[in-house]
Amino acid sequence: MKKMIVALLAGSLSLFASPTQAQSTAPSTSIEYSEKVHVEDGSAVTLYNHALSWTQEKFPYKPKTDIQVNPETKEISLTGTSKIKMAAAKASGPDQERVLHFNFQFRATEQGYSYSVGTFRVVPEEKEPTVMVLLEEYVKQLGQDRANARTRNDRRVTAQANAIASDVASAFRSYMNSQPVVKDGEVGLPPDGEE
């Protein structure tokens, strides 16, 4: 009798339990790095000028294209270029390279600034440099390739794009942190005798 009651209780509980969903083991391919940085006593003009200087002189992934600067709104955007490497479909073949484009965006306010690195796009065919595929779609295609079990190109490409996003973000943040702000619109150390 006790076994029958326990079985009935267990069965009725399973009717009310939420269904379990399988977890995907596929790598996440939506890659974006964004950050909002609060700057005490900040000046939107100074922050904008710092960022503009970095994008003009220090941006690490060239060639840069689609450069747009707006001094009124204190916004900057551009497209950076890099390359990703993939293992060849045949074990004896050479590694393959593909061009990778991504967007960098910046905006300054009196409270600080925000920036992002994202919207990654791959050029699948070197002969057609204007044809681009979103990284998410390209990784999905790589995952369906028969040789992917050996090459793991879907994971390789995702890891490389993540590394690029992280590198751009850390280079930018490091540059922004290295420039002391003296007065509104000025950069550098204060002249002797001024604090």
Side-chain angles (χ1 to χ4, degrees), residues 26-135:
S28 173
T29 54
S30 181
I31 297 167
E32 181 177 337
Y33 186 94
S34 60
E35 183 177 18
K36 278 187 171 183
V37 180
H38 177 73
V39 179
E40 287 188 35
D41 301 323
S43 159
V45 172
T46 302
L47 295 170
Y48 172 79
N49 288 334
H50 287 325
L52 185 60
S53 175
W54 182 80
T55 57
Q56 291 173 338
E57 300 168 18
K58 304 285 186 183
F59 188 78
Y61 291 94
K62 299 173 184 174
K64 302 177 286 189
T65 59
D66 301 326
I67 301 166
Q68 298 178 16
V69 294
N70 189 330
E72 282 78 39
T73 61
K74 311 295 183 278
E75 294 177 329
I76 302 168
S77 68
L78 60 88
T79 298
T81 306
S82 186
K83 289 195 174 181
I84 50 174
K85 289 187 178 181
M86 299 178 298
K90 295 182 179 179
S92 60
D95 285 353
Q96 303 169 25
E97 275 192 343
R98 297 288 181 265
V99 173
L100 182 72
H101 297 288
F102 61 91
N103 292 350
F104 172 82
Q105 295 183 318
F106 169 87
R107 183 171 186 269
T109 66
E110 295 301 324
Q111 292 76 39
Y113 62 91
S114 60
Y115 67 97
S116 67
V117 182
T119 316
F120 285 82
R121 299 165 312 281
V122 178
V123 177
E125 294 296 329
E126 191 176 346
K127 295 173 185 175
E128 298 182 52
T130 58
V131 176
M132 292 179 252
V133 176
L134 285 174
L135 180 68

Side-chain angles (χ1 to χ4, degrees), residues 109-176:
T109 66
E110 295 301 324
Q111 292 76 39
Y113 62 91
S114 60
Y115 67 97
S116 67
V117 182
T119 316
F120 285 82
R121 299 165 312 281
V122 178
V123 177
E125 294 296 329
E126 191 176 346
K127 295 173 185 175
E128 298 182 52
T130 58
V131 176
M132 292 179 252
V133 176
L134 285 174
L135 180 68
E136 293 85 354
E137 290 299 315
Y138 191 68
V139 168
K140 189 186 285 186
Q141 292 170 13
L142 291 174
Q144 295 169 353
D145 187 85
R146 285 184 298 165
N148 195 57
R150 182 187 61 78
T151 63
R152 302 265 190 241
N153 278 332
D154 59 341
R155 294 182 184 274
R156 286 176 194 253
V157 168
T158 302
Q160 290 173 68
N162 267 315
I164 291 166
S166 178
D167 186 50
V168 172
S170 64
F172 178 69
R173 184 70 190 272
S174 176
Y175 183 83
M176 292 298 282

